[in-house]
Amino acid sequence: MDVFLREINYQIFKRYVYYCLPKSKIKNNQFGTILIHNQLHCQIFFTNQFVIELSIEKNNKPFYYLHFEFIDFSNAIQLFHDFMEYLIPHDPIKVLICCSSALTSSYLVEELKKYIQKNHENINITASSFHHIHEKGKDSDLILLAPQVGYLAKKYARSFNIQVIPTNIYATYNYSKIVEMIKNAIKR
């Protein structure tokens, strides 16, 4: 992209960003645009050298930071939309984890809740035995079955969004992989 077109596209991108932000919560200062939204302190900074910084503080701690050089318009739009995902409140993903008696899944869920909270994931997770899958699963976005009851997945596949947690993930309490499974199953 030649310098002239780059400057024009950069200015168009800046206007697009300002157009997308809630006007009542914007403040401009010498450092850039400040936005206080949903208890988040956000900053967007455009430099004269075509560099854009996007940052979010949550509870006075850095939560999100990205800086990039404006080279490709569509890439900049995508990066901005990824940033905006953190500003738009979403209902939490509702997940039910089922095992045979809810004993191991209850322990897993309690520890998983700590991981979810620590990593600021928007997931609400509960445990149950598979005997209560119809009553508790009806409000869930996703049902994850423990491997020991994985054989039930085919039975409930028509009624629910259901997956089996692989044994190596479930038995080792690999919380990051479980969260990854949830995110891959529920694309928002």
Side-chain angles (χ1 to χ4, degrees):
M1 175 183 322
D2 70 31
V3 175
F4 176 73
L5 289 177
R6 186 177 187 194
E7 178 64 38
I8 289 172
N9 283 327
Y10 190 63
Q11 294 304 322
I12 291 170
F13 177 71
K14 281 173 74 171
R15 289 184 185 254
Y16 174 77
V17 166
Y18 289 121
Y19 176 78
C20 291
L21 297 174
K23 305 297 180 258
S24 62
K25 302 183 181 194
I26 294 177
K27 296 178 185 171
N28 291 311
N29 67 19
Q30 71 271 20
F31 301 112
T33 300
I34 307 291
L35 172 68
I36 308 297
H37 188 65
N38 294 334
Q39 301 175 345
L40 301 174
H41 182 268
C42 311
Q43 185 164 334
I44 303 168
F45 184 63
F46 293 93
T47 71
N48 293 335
Q49 290 78 34
F50 304 105
V51 174
I52 301 162
E53 291 184 5
L54 306 171
S55 65
I56 301 173
E57 286 184 4
K58 189 173 186 176
N59 301 324
N60 295 322
K61 295 180 183 171
F63 175 71
Y64 183 106
Y65 179 80
L66 179 70
H67 77 273
F68 61 95
E69 184 178 359
F70 182 86
I71 296 172
D72 180 79
F73 195 89
S74 62
N75 183 57
I77 293 284
Q78 182 60 53
L79 295 172
F80 175 68
H81 282 270
D82 292 345
F83 171 76
M84 289 297 290
E85 277 296 309
Y86 287 93
L87 305 180
I88 300 167
H90 293 286
D91 290 334
I93 299 169
K94 292 180 246 157
V95 180
L96 177 66
I97 295 184
C98 294
C99 70
S100 52
S101 65
L103 194 60
T104 56
S105 61
S106 291
Y107 176 75
L108 176 82
V109 163
E110 289 309 310
E111 294 302 311
L112 188 54
K113 283 180 179 180
K114 293 174 189 173
Y115 177 87
I116 287 168
Q117 185 177 14
K118 179 182 173 190
N119 290 284
H120 309 287
E121 299 291 350
N122 195 16
I123 300 171
N124 184 357
I125 196 156
T126 57
S128 175
S129 78
F130 73 89
H131 299 292
H132 302 286
I133 199 167
H134 280 291
E135 66 189 59
K136 294 189 177 187
K138 66 183 176 192
D139 295 326
S140 298
D141 297 312
L142 175 65
I143 297 174
L144 295 176
L145 295 177
Q148 59 268 38
V149 293
Y151 62 90
L152 296 169
K154 288 180 185 174
K155 178 180 178 181
Y156 294 111
R158 287 189 175 168
S159 303
F160 301 105
N161 181 6
I162 196 162
Q163 290 187 10
V164 179
I165 303 172
T167 305
N168 63 331
I169 294 173
Y170 188 85
T172 60
Y173 301 106
N174 191 334
Y175 307 123
S176 65
K177 288 290 185 186
I178 294 171
V179 169
E180 186 179 319
M181 278 184 70
I182 293 167
K183 288 179 174 181
N184 288 336
I186 309 292
K187 301 277 186 190
R188 290 197 170 168

